[in-house]
mmCIF file of all heavy atoms in Angstrom:
data_model
loop_
_atom_site.group_PDB
_atom_site.id
_atom_site.type_symbol
_atom_site.label_atom_id
_atom_site.label_comp_id
_atom_site.label_asym_id
_atom_site.label_seq_id
_atom_site.Cartn_x
_atom_site.Cartn_y
_atom_site.Cartn_z
ATOM 1 N N PHE Z 950 -10.804 13.995 3.339
ATOM 2 C CA PHE Z 950 -11.282 14.866 4.404
ATOM 3 C C PHE Z 950 -10.301 16.010 4.547
ATOM 4 O O PHE Z 950 -9.080 15.806 4.573
ATOM 5 C CB PHE Z 950 -11.385 14.135 5.751
ATOM 6 C CG PHE Z 950 -11.732 15.080 6.867
ATOM 7 C CD1 PHE Z 950 -13.056 15.429 7.105
ATOM 8 C CD2 PHE Z 950 -10.744 15.680 7.637
ATOM 9 C CE1 PHE Z 950 -13.383 16.355 8.097
ATOM 10 C CE2 PHE Z 950 -11.065 16.614 8.630
ATOM 11 C CZ PHE Z 950 -12.384 16.936 8.861
ATOM 12 N N THR Z 951 -10.820 17.224 4.642
ATOM 13 C CA THR Z 951 -9.974 18.387 4.913
ATOM 14 C C THR Z 951 -10.534 19.156 6.092
ATOM 15 O O THR Z 951 -11.737 19.453 6.129
ATOM 16 C CB THR Z 951 -9.917 19.334 3.696
ATOM 17 O OG1 THR Z 951 -9.467 18.584 2.579
ATOM 18 C CG2 THR Z 951 -8.957 20.471 3.942
ATOM 19 N N GLY Z 952 -9.694 19.452 7.048
ATOM 20 C CA GLY Z 952 -10.074 20.309 8.166
ATOM 21 C C GLY Z 952 -9.512 21.691 7.901
ATOM 22 O O GLY Z 952 -8.384 21.823 7.426
ATOM 23 N N ALA Z 953 -10.312 22.722 8.199
ATOM 24 C CA ALA Z 953 -9.877 24.097 7.946
ATOM 25 C C ALA Z 953 -10.077 24.950 9.203
ATOM 26 O O ALA Z 953 -10.834 24.584 10.102
ATOM 27 C CB ALA Z 953 -10.660 24.679 6.770
ATOM 28 N N VAL Z 954 -9.402 26.087 9.239
ATOM 29 C CA VAL Z 954 -9.482 26.991 10.397
ATOM 30 C C VAL Z 954 -10.807 27.754 10.363
ATOM 31 O O VAL Z 954 -11.126 28.387 9.358
ATOM 32 C CB VAL Z 954 -8.308 28.005 10.388
ATOM 33 C CG1 VAL Z 954 -8.371 28.910 11.609
ATOM 34 C CG2 VAL Z 954 -6.962 27.289 10.302
ATOM 35 N N ARG Z 955 -11.545 27.685 11.472
ATOM 36 C CA ARG Z 955 -12.807 28.447 11.574
ATOM 37 C C ARG Z 955 -12.523 29.879 12.012
ATOM 38 O O ARG Z 955 -11.501 30.146 12.648
ATOM 39 C CB ARG Z 955 -13.729 27.776 12.596
ATOM 40 C CG ARG Z 955 -14.412 26.560 12.026
ATOM 41 C CD ARG Z 955 -15.274 25.906 13.071
ATOM 42 N NE ARG Z 955 -14.443 25.309 14.107
ATOM 43 C CZ ARG Z 955 -14.819 25.192 15.385
ATOM 44 N NH1 ARG Z 955 -15.969 25.672 15.781
ATOM 45 N NH2 ARG Z 955 -14.023 24.612 16.250
ATOM 46 N N ASN Z 956 -13.463 30.803 11.697
ATOM 47 C CA ASN Z 956 -13.223 32.199 12.088
ATOM 48 C C ASN Z 956 -13.837 32.538 13.440
ATOM 49 O O ASN Z 956 -13.787 33.671 13.894
ATOM 50 C CB ASN Z 956 -13.696 33.171 11.005
ATOM 51 C CG ASN Z 956 -15.195 33.101 10.782
ATOM 52 O OD1 ASN Z 956 -15.927 32.434 11.534
ATOM 53 N ND2 ASN Z 956 -15.664 33.777 9.747
ATOM 54 N N SER Z 957 -14.437 31.520 14.094
ATOM 55 C CA SER Z 957 -15.017 31.768 15.405
ATOM 56 C C SER Z 957 -15.061 30.473 16.201
ATOM 57 O O SER Z 957 -15.230 29.395 15.639
ATOM 58 C CB SER Z 957 -16.419 32.356 15.183
ATOM 59 O OG SER Z 957 -17.297 32.003 16.198
ATOM 60 N N ASN Z 958 -14.847 30.581 17.511
ATOM 61 C CA ASN Z 958 -14.867 29.390 18.375
ATOM 62 C C ASN Z 958 -15.328 29.836 19.755
ATOM 63 O O ASN Z 958 -14.871 30.849 20.275
ATOM 64 C CB ASN Z 958 -13.462 28.774 18.450
ATOM 65 C CG ASN Z 958 -13.447 27.454 19.204
ATOM 66 O OD1 ASN Z 958 -14.443 26.735 19.241
ATOM 67 N ND2 ASN Z 958 -12.317 27.136 19.810
ATOM 68 N N LEU Z 959 -16.233 29.090 20.373
ATOM 69 C CA LEU Z 959 -16.743 29.393 21.713
ATOM 70 C C LEU Z 959 -17.171 30.868 21.813
ATOM 71 O O LEU Z 959 -16.819 31.569 22.758
ATOM 72 C CB LEU Z 959 -15.674 29.071 22.774
ATOM 73 C CG LEU Z 959 -15.134 27.639 22.780
ATOM 74 C CD1 LEU Z 959 -13.933 27.504 23.698
ATOM 75 C CD2 LEU Z 959 -16.219 26.645 23.192
ATOM 76 N N ASP Z 960 -17.928 31.324 20.813
ATOM 77 C CA ASP Z 960 -18.483 32.685 20.775
ATOM 78 C C ASP Z 960 -17.440 33.799 20.688
ATOM 79 O O ASP Z 960 -17.731 34.951 20.984
ATOM 80 C CB ASP Z 960 -19.392 32.946 21.990
ATOM 81 C CG ASP Z 960 -20.584 32.011 22.004
ATOM 82 O OD1 ASP Z 960 -21.055 31.659 20.899
ATOM 83 O OD2 ASP Z 960 -21.023 31.618 23.105
ATOM 84 N N GLU Z 961 -16.224 33.475 20.304
ATOM 85 C CA GLU Z 961 -15.219 34.529 20.131
ATOM 86 C C GLU Z 961 -14.679 34.504 18.707
ATOM 87 O O GLU Z 961 -14.547 33.436 18.102
ATOM 88 C CB GLU Z 961 -14.038 34.298 21.087
ATOM 89 C CG GLU Z 961 -14.444 34.352 22.534
ATOM 90 C CD GLU Z 961 -13.601 35.320 23.336
ATOM 91 O OE1 GLU Z 961 -13.434 36.483 22.886
ATOM 92 O OE2 GLU Z 961 -13.122 34.903 24.400
ATOM 93 N N THR Z 962 -14.350 35.680 18.215
ATOM 94 C CA THR Z 962 -13.752 35.773 16.894
ATOM 95 C C THR Z 962 -12.331 35.233 16.940
ATOM 96 O O THR Z 962 -11.561 35.581 17.831
ATOM 97 C CB THR Z 962 -13.687 37.253 16.447
ATOM 98 O OG1 THR Z 962 -15.019 37.765 16.524
ATOM 99 C CG2 THR Z 962 -13.168 37.390 15.036
ATOM 100 N N VAL Z 963 -12.024 34.368 15.994
ATOM 101 C CA VAL Z 963 -10.674 33.800 15.941
ATOM 102 C C VAL Z 963 -9.900 34.464 14.801
ATOM 103 O O VAL Z 963 -10.322 34.435 13.649
ATOM 104 C CB VAL Z 963 -10.728 32.271 15.728
ATOM 105 C CG1 VAL Z 963 -9.336 31.703 15.480
ATOM 106 C CG2 VAL Z 963 -11.369 31.595 16.939
ATOM 107 N N GLY Z 964 -8.754 35.080 15.164
ATOM 108 C CA GLY Z 964 -7.940 35.763 14.160
ATOM 109 C C GLY Z 964 -6.978 34.822 13.459
ATOM 110 O O GLY Z 964 -6.489 35.101 12.367
ATOM 111 N N GLY Z 965 -6.694 33.683 14.087
ATOM 112 C CA GLY Z 965 -5.765 32.722 13.493
ATOM 113 C C GLY Z 965 -5.436 31.630 14.478
ATOM 114 O O GLY Z 965 -5.861 31.663 15.635
#
Side-chain angles (χ1 to χ4, degrees):
Chain Z
F950 174 83
T951 304
V954 182
R955 282 178 291 149
N956 64 8
S957 149
N958 186 28
L959 304 170
D960 298 327
E961 298 233 49
T962 304
V963 172

